[in-house]
Amino acid sequence: MFFEGPTQKGGHMKCDDIKNLLSEYIDGALNENDKAAVSLHLDLCRDCREELNLIKNAISTLKTIQPVEPPQDFVIQVRKKIEARRGLKEAIRFLFFPWHIKIPVEALATVIIAGLLYSVYHESMPTTSTMPIREEGLVTQKKVAMPTEKNVIPAIEKKDEELSVQPVTVCVQGRGLSIDKDFAKEVKGEAQAPVRQEMPAPAPMEKEVEEDSCRMLKVGESSESTDGGGLFMAAESVVSCQSIKSGRRRGFSRSAGDSKRTLISLFINLKNPSVDVPKIKRYLLSLGASGVKVTALPNSSKKIIRFRLESRYFPKLINRLIQMKAINPASKYSNVSGAVVDIELVISFA
Amino acid sequence: MDEDISLIDEFLQGNESSFNRLVLKHQKRVFNIIYAILSNYEETNEAAQDVFVSVYRSLKNFRKESNFATWLYRIAVNQARNRYNKVKRIARVTYSIDDPIYAEEGEIERSIPDTNTAVNELEKKELNRKISDSISQIPMKYKEVVILRDVEGMDYMEIQNVTGLNEGTIKSRLHRGRCFLKDLLKKAGT
């Protein structure tokens, strides 16, 4: 908007231009020319005069603000803060100065402590048992008691790479023999046969048995899975337990869905079948065994109890059978590997 | 200013009480600069303490040819700016009922007034509140210049030293800030 008045030579100033100079005009910060121009404009322009008064009023209002008093103990508060930060600074200085000495030392100490903690943690972690095979007893892990020269049959490499089932292991009256696929590769035919203490007549396995995957091997005989499941050899009469339940593989015990499960066969003697069998069954259930099934062998007085048990309860089962005098207490039974194990108790009645 | 330099010298020679006297001398002005920007007493208290802690640690680097007050207020304005940006809601907070109200005769009590004098005080309090409200709504970059000029009475040169802005920017922001305030006060009926 242009003010209404005589036009000045050199152009008249617009109201917007004047308004932008009002603050400086109030502060006395304009040069003489601009000051005169603004004064002249203000004499003639009511709008700009009103704007000037409003700005002056705002400034005056600001000057009426009551000052605020800081807290009475402000100096003390400042002092406390200074001391607190000084303590922190000194702590940092203590920890990190001089840099070239303290940082490497502290880094090294950290690494050492971390390593110690890791090793302690690692030691405390449970490991799976890999007890070596013994001459007697039940063994499920990687070593094998090799037969004598006469009985040595070279192992054939396993063919099925997928098969990771634990080896067949059998216990013949406290004697154990195990062969696994890895060992099968290593066998050179020079191992010694386990010492035989007893050699009960092996029980024929009938096909009618529900999970009949076992057959008797004669001494020196080898068994090879037709589908490349692996090979194992018998230094004694043993019961080989082939594929179980899965129906897919033979040669090594295997249960569907658990490539790591071990099959264990235990030959036990009981005196009173009508009492002892239910007792054993109840005990198995108390250990949390699953799939407990008692089957009678046709044309035989023998029975088989098959079940699945967590490996950690296997020693308890052995102890119980020893207490019941079902197995030879002098026999040594190794721990089993894997989380769960399939067991069959082949019961002969005295 | 000579007094400031003497106190600084004494402090740098190990006299801690000289620093305390320095604080006592400048605490109110620092406090009010920050309070005008932040409009919150507790935040102002924290910020003002941080200003003097910063001064304590930096005094050994202070060049005595400079004006100590200008240097101090620069730290105060920066501290207020940082806090303002950190907690932007503070600028929106209106006058707090818990903030102390000071008149020349001291703090005004918050009891129910039953005298004419008390009514006048209440009106003063109300006016103060409206002004503080209006100031808190001015954008930060204009507000600090307006506070330093119209509340603290600094000239353009001092404002330059404190804010680090050039004169042209100061003039421009000052004008914009005053116009903002003018409109806000008009709206508030003051």
Side-chain angles (χ1 to χ4, degrees):
Chain A
M1 167 183 146
F2 292 86
F3 74 90
E4 296 180 8
T7 304
Q8 304 274 333
K9 194 166 186 181
H12 48 258
M13 295 180 81
K14 297 180 190 175
C15 281
D16 287 343
D17 297 331
I18 296 295
K19 283 176 183 175
N20 285 336
L21 295 175
L22 287 178
S23 275
E24 289 176 72
Y25 180 78
I26 292 169
D27 292 338
L30 290 175
N31 60 43
E32 290 302 320
N33 285 340
D34 286 341
K35 185 177 172 184
V38 169
S39 291
L40 186 62
H41 181 96
L42 288 172
D43 287 341
L44 301 171
C45 179
R46 193 172 52 186
D47 278 348
C48 289
R49 272 203 307 276
E50 202 171 306
E51 182 74 5
L52 176 72
N53 290 334
L54 286 171
I55 293 176
K56 279 185 174 177
N57 182 52
I59 295 171
S60 302
T61 305
L62 281 176
K63 292 188 189 305
T64 64
I65 291 178
Q66 300 289 339
V68 178
E69 289 291 334
Q72 286 188 351
D73 62 341
F74 182 78
V75 179
I76 296 172
Q77 291 179 22
V78 169
R79 274 292 175 190
K80 280 184 183 173
K81 229 173 202 177
I82 290 169
E83 292 305 317
R85 291 195 188 175
R86 182 184 287 166
L88 178 64
K89 196 175 174 184
E90 281 175 2
I92 291 172
R93 188 180 293 275
F94 174 76
L95 282 174
F96 297 112
F97 285 90
W99 297 99
H100 62 282
I101 295 173
K102 294 212 172 172
I103 297 288
V105 168
E106 287 165 7
L108 183 64
T110 305
V111 168
I112 291 171
I113 291 170
L116 284 172
L117 287 172
Y118 175 76
S119 66
V120 167
Y121 171 76
H122 190 64
E123 288 298 318
S124 66
M125 289 295 286
T127 55
T128 55
S129 170
T130 54
M131 299 290 287
I133 189 170
R134 299 179 190 275
E135 291 182 352
E136 297 177 337
L138 184 67
V139 181
T140 61
Q141 289 303 316
K142 293 192 175 181
K143 290 189 183 175
V144 62
M146 291 304 298
T148 58
E149 285 184 358
K150 288 183 188 176
N151 299 329
V152 168
I153 297 173
I156 299 174
E157 293 181 0
K158 75 167 178 67
K159 295 173 189 176
D160 185 357
E161 291 299 327
E162 292 179 13
L163 204 61
S164 60
V165 176
Q166 294 305 313
V168 173
T169 304
V170 296
C171 174
V172 180
Q173 283 294 13
R175 180 182 285 115
L177 170 68
S178 78
I179 304 165
D180 71 355
K181 58 184 186 301
D182 291 329
F183 188 85
K185 289 183 188 175
E186 299 168 9
V187 166
K188 302 295 181 188
E190 295 176 358
Q192 297 296 320
V195 174
R196 291 175 59 159
Q197 291 187 351
E198 295 177 19
M199 188 61 193
M205 306 300 288
E206 295 291 337
K207 292 183 180 178
E208 287 79 354
V209 173
E210 181 179 347
E211 295 181 84
D212 180 18
S213 58
C214 298
R215 67 179 184 84
M216 183 58 60
L217 295 176
K218 294 179 183 174
V219 174
E221 183 183 8
S222 64
S223 168
E224 180 182 351
S225 168
T226 55
D227 60 354
L231 169 81
F232 63 91
M233 60 192 122
E236 314 169 274
S237 295
V238 296
V239 173
S240 72
C241 293
Q242 299 186 2
S243 61
I244 296 178
K245 273 196 175 176
S246 67
R248 291 173 294 185
R249 301 201 181 282
R250 291 184 293 165
F252 288 106
S253 61
R254 184 172 184 159
S255 294
D258 185 357
S259 61
K260 294 285 184 185
R261 197 168 297 134
T262 302
L263 170 67
I264 299 168
S265 295
L266 281 173
F267 287 82
I268 64 175
N269 286 322
L270 296 178
K271 289 181 182 173
N272 193 344
S274 59
V275 172
D276 292 338
V277 170
K279 195 185 281 186
I280 289 177
K281 202 174 167 186
R282 279 196 298 276
Y283 185 72
L284 291 173
L285 292 171
S286 74
L287 291 180
S290 60
V292 180
K293 196 169 283 189
V294 182
T295 313
L297 288 181
N299 301 327
S300 169
S301 61
K302 291 189 189 320
K303 291 194 177 187
I304 295 178
I305 305 179
R306 291 198 177 93
F307 54 94
R308 187 164 291 165
L309 184 70
E310 289 183 40
S311 304
R312 58 190 169 126
Y313 295 123
F314 184 72
K316 276 193 173 180
L317 174 63
I318 296 297
N319 287 336
R320 183 71 172 158
L321 291 173
I322 291 173
Q323 282 173 7
M324 293 174 67
K325 298 182 182 171
I327 53 179
N328 187 351
S331 301
K332 296 175 186 176
Y333 299 92
S334 301
N335 291 330
V336 298
S337 65
V340 180
V341 63
D342 292 313
I343 301 175
E344 59 178 28
L345 301 177
V346 183
I347 307 170
S348 300
F349 299 103
Chain B
M1 183 173 156
D2 288 338
E3 187 190 354
D4 290 341
I5 300 299
S6 303
L7 290 171
I8 291 169
D9 281 339
E10 287 171 18
F11 166 70
L12 290 175
Q13 285 166 17
N15 189 342
E16 291 287 331
S17 65
S18 298
F19 179 79
N20 296 346
R21 279 153 56 195
L22 209 58
V23 174
L24 281 167
K25 184 181 172 190
H26 294 281
Q27 65 180 13
K28 186 168 178 177
R29 203 164 182 204
V30 165
F31 208 88
N32 278 277
I33 289 172
I34 298 174
Y35 183 76
I37 294 172
L38 297 182
S39 306
N40 179 284
Y41 192 85
E42 286 306 317
E43 288 291 333
T44 299
N45 191 20
E46 290 292 323
Q49 288 175 29
D50 288 343
V51 167
F52 286 105
V53 171
S54 178
V55 167
Y56 182 90
R57 286 156 54 185
S58 313
L59 261 181
K60 56 183 180 296
N61 302 323
F62 172 71
R63 293 180 304 165
K64 291 169 199 168
E65 310 82 53
S66 314
N67 184 303
F68 173 74
T70 305
W71 182 71
L72 175 65
Y73 303 148
R74 188 186 313 139
I75 296 173
V77 168
N78 286 335
Q79 186 67 233
R81 269 184 201 156
N82 292 340
R83 273 197 186 249
Y84 180 85
N85 290 332
K86 205 173 170 183
V87 190
K88 285 191 177 169
R89 61 174 176 80
I90 292 172
R92 307 292 182 270
V93 172
T94 55
Y95 185 82
S96 168
I97 197 164
D98 294 322
D99 287 356
I101 308 299
Y102 292 95
E104 286 177 3
E105 55 272 29
E107 185 176 348
I108 298 173
E109 290 185 7
R110 299 170 190 273
S111 54
I112 298 173
D114 54 4
T115 64
N116 287 334
T117 307
V119 168
N120 289 338
E121 296 301 334
L122 271 178
E123 285 173 353
K124 264 191 199 172
K125 177 184 167 183
E126 180 63 19
L127 178 63
N128 230 35
R129 187 190 66 79
K130 284 181 179 176
I131 296 170
S132 294
D133 270 356
S134 302
I135 292 173
S136 69
Q137 293 175 62
I138 302 173
M140 179 64 181
K141 60 181 179 179
Y142 307 137
K143 177 163 55 179
E144 60 184 31
V145 180
V146 169
I147 298 294
L148 294 174
R149 173 76 185 142
D150 295 330
V151 178
E152 298 298 323
M154 292 185 189
D155 58 31
Y156 288 176
M157 182 63 73
E158 278 181 299
I159 296 173
Q160 253 185 285
N161 290 335
V162 171
T163 62
L165 300 169
N166 62 44
E167 191 175 321
T169 307
I170 290 169
K171 287 178 180 177
S172 167
R173 290 189 182 183
L174 186 60
H175 178 69
R176 296 287 297 275
R178 284 168 171 172
C179 288
F180 250 106
L181 181 64
K182 166 197 59 134
D183 294 334
L184 288 166
L185 289 173
K186 193 176 176 182
K187 213 185 282 184
T190 55

